[in-house]
Amino acid sequence: MMSNPNRVLRSWVDVSPDSDFSIHNIPFGIGRPPGSTPRLFTAIGQYAADLQVLAEHGFFDDLDIDRAIFSSSTLNPFIALGREKTRAVRQRLIDILDDDLDEWDASQLKEFFLLPQTKVSMLLPLQIGDYTDFYSSREHATNVGAMFRDPQNALLPNWLHLPVAYHGRASSIVVSGTPIRRPQGQTMPDGASSPQFGPSRLLDFELEMAFVIGRENAMGHPVSTADAEDYIFGLVLFNDWSARDIQRWEYQPLGPFLSKNFASTISPWVVTLDALEPFRCTSPEPEIAPLPYLQYTGNRNFDIQLEVALQTASGAPHTICRSNFRYLYWNMSQQLAHHTINGCPLRIGDLCASGTISGPNNESYGSMLELTWRGTQPIQLPDGSERRFLHDGDTVIMRGFAQKEGIRVGFGEARGTLIPALQ
Ligand code: CA
């Protein structure tokens, strides 16, 4: 039985009220303690809790899970246990960390499996087989369509009928903190008569979230919107780094290619749908009723506050965007149903990103392209500099959290610093 998701719990670990990692969260990640091997961790307050150590001491033995699973270098084998088992592990961790705990002496427990998060190197938590990027924010699609095509017909005719997406590249998805090298490529600047080659001049971020596939469908067998959430293990923050000048020259007719596949950054902790349960909310009212396979019942969206901070090489982090996951027109259940309606098989560890999450006003736009309106309205920074697009040495920090009635569940951050192109 699951405990009441709306009861406020407290942990015997000291957790600040503004921590993303309350006892209501209990995300999963892969970390490496100093001088040791990778293994599963969860986060609580400022600490990372070592699941390998807990497993070695028999804390999960009655759940009938091979102890070696907790010593894996990715979450894939753990996720493959299925929701019943992963949910039981999460509940066991909540029981261990709950201040109602009376079987053990908490002060002694703390010594043997909790490490300060600063001491643990967080690694890419998944072996990502395939990666799909949706385009599900109406505001973003409208802004981009208005800038690059026609302000009067910004949305293409299919947009309100299906969740548009493309298949990206999994090999360049990296964990938060990994430096991002400015890509080189082919562009056709305004007024030029032939293409040029060199470092991208219009480097951008895209504020997105991504869900992790937690269950596989057989090839040829679609997943309905009703069942879609059974196939989602959890969510991470996602920065889809984008080279706008390369994109503009290459994207027609098949969509983005080298402008996107040089790097994407994810946050290290996967937050489960169970943890997000208290934050369910409605989706924007559809303008056109979609085909039956894209219809759904219930609240399938989540109220997750998102922000992007930009830190120059010499400055402090400065928030340049505040958005919310709830703005997405197409929800994850619809995205997953559409992705599989032709029989496409999903595999455990695959990632599906939301597309840039822009909101209704210009402080909520999820890319530099929109925030500066294609570079025409530069962002003024506190150190006196301005930005149209990203400079070498700039750090982009994405954060996200849900908060309600004393319960806070957050994602930590997805951070990346731009380093100069190879010359
Ligand atoms: Ca994108």
Side-chain angles (χ1 to χ4, degrees), residues 17-76:
D18 62 358
S19 172
D20 284 348
F21 305 113
S22 71
I23 192 170
H24 291 275
N25 191 343
I26 311 298
F28 294 101
I30 298 291
R32 184 165 47 215
S36 196
T37 50
R39 75 277 307 271
L40 272 71
F41 275 91
T42 190
I44 180 79
Q46 309 257 44
Y47 293 90
D50 187 328
L51 272 58
Q52 174 178 303
V53 170
L54 287 168
E56 283 165 356
H57 285 78
F59 280 82
F60 307 122
D61 278 0
D62 62 317
L63 302 178
D64 191 27
I65 298 170
D66 181 354
R67 285 184 182 183
I69 295 261
F70 298 99
S71 307
S72 306
S73 57
T74 71
L75 291 176
N76 295 50

Side-chain angles (χ1 to χ4, degrees), residues 119-340:
K119 297 232 162 137
V120 179
S121 308
M122 295 307 296
L123 309 177
L124 189 70
L126 302 158
Q127 184 185 345
I128 305 165
D130 280 304
Y131 151 56
T132 301
D133 195 17
F134 284 89
Y135 191 55
S136 288
S137 156
R138 182 172 184 170
E139 289 82 357
H140 173 69
T142 302
N143 289 338
V144 173
M147 273 184 265
F148 285 96
R149 287 185 303 271
D150 175 5
Q152 304 310 315
N153 291 293
L155 287 182
L156 289 169
N158 59 4
W159 201 92
L160 291 169
H161 295 278
L162 57 84
V164 169
Y166 71 95
H167 283 123
R169 185 92 188 147
S171 62
S172 57
I173 299 176
V174 295
V175 74
S176 178
T178 308
I180 304 299
R181 188 173 292 284
R182 181 180 296 271
Q184 304 198 77
Q186 190 179 134
T187 60
M188 180 68 99
D190 281 335
S193 55
S194 59
Q196 299 183 357
F197 180 82
S200 167
R201 294 161 190 263
L202 307 183
L203 205 69
D204 200 354
F205 62 82
E206 290 190 337
L207 169 63
E208 307 194 18
M209 298 196 74
F211 62 87
V212 179
I213 296 299
R215 178 178 168 181
E216 305 189 342
N217 61 312
M219 188 166 167
H221 293 262
V223 176
S224 67
T225 56
D227 294 338
E229 288 184 353
D230 294 344
Y231 291 77
I232 299 173
F233 177 71
L235 282 84
V236 292
L237 301 168
F238 193 97
N239 181 352
D240 181 20
W241 301 92
S242 299
R244 299 299 179 196
D245 42 358
I246 296 171
Q247 183 178 358
R248 187 174 160 218
W249 174 229
E250 74 171 2
Y251 84 102
Q252 287 177 318
L254 290 185
F257 184 35
L258 304 179
S259 56
K260 300 280 191 173
N261 70 4
F262 59 96
S264 304
T265 300
I266 65 171
S267 51
W269 298 105
V270 183
V271 175
T272 65
L273 282 193
D274 283 344
L276 294 170
E277 192 59 38
F279 310 104
R280 281 188 183 278
C281 64
T282 56
S283 297
E285 194 63 30
E287 184 171 316
I288 298 169
L291 286 169
Y293 81 93
L294 289 170
Q295 295 175 12
Y296 63 94
T297 56
N299 289 340
R300 297 300 181 98
N301 228 335
F302 294 89
D303 183 359
I304 302 167
Q305 300 180 47
L306 301 168
E307 59 182 50
V308 182
L310 178 58
Q311 180 173 14
T312 64
S314 57
H318 175 66
T319 300
I320 57 172
C321 160
R322 286 193 173 82
S323 188
N324 195 305
F325 189 68
R326 71 182 303 168
Y327 294 146
L328 290 175
Y329 185 90
W330 297 102
N331 61 49
M332 294 185 286
S333 297
Q334 293 174 305
Q335 291 170 341
L336 203 147
H338 185 65
H339 203 317
T340 60

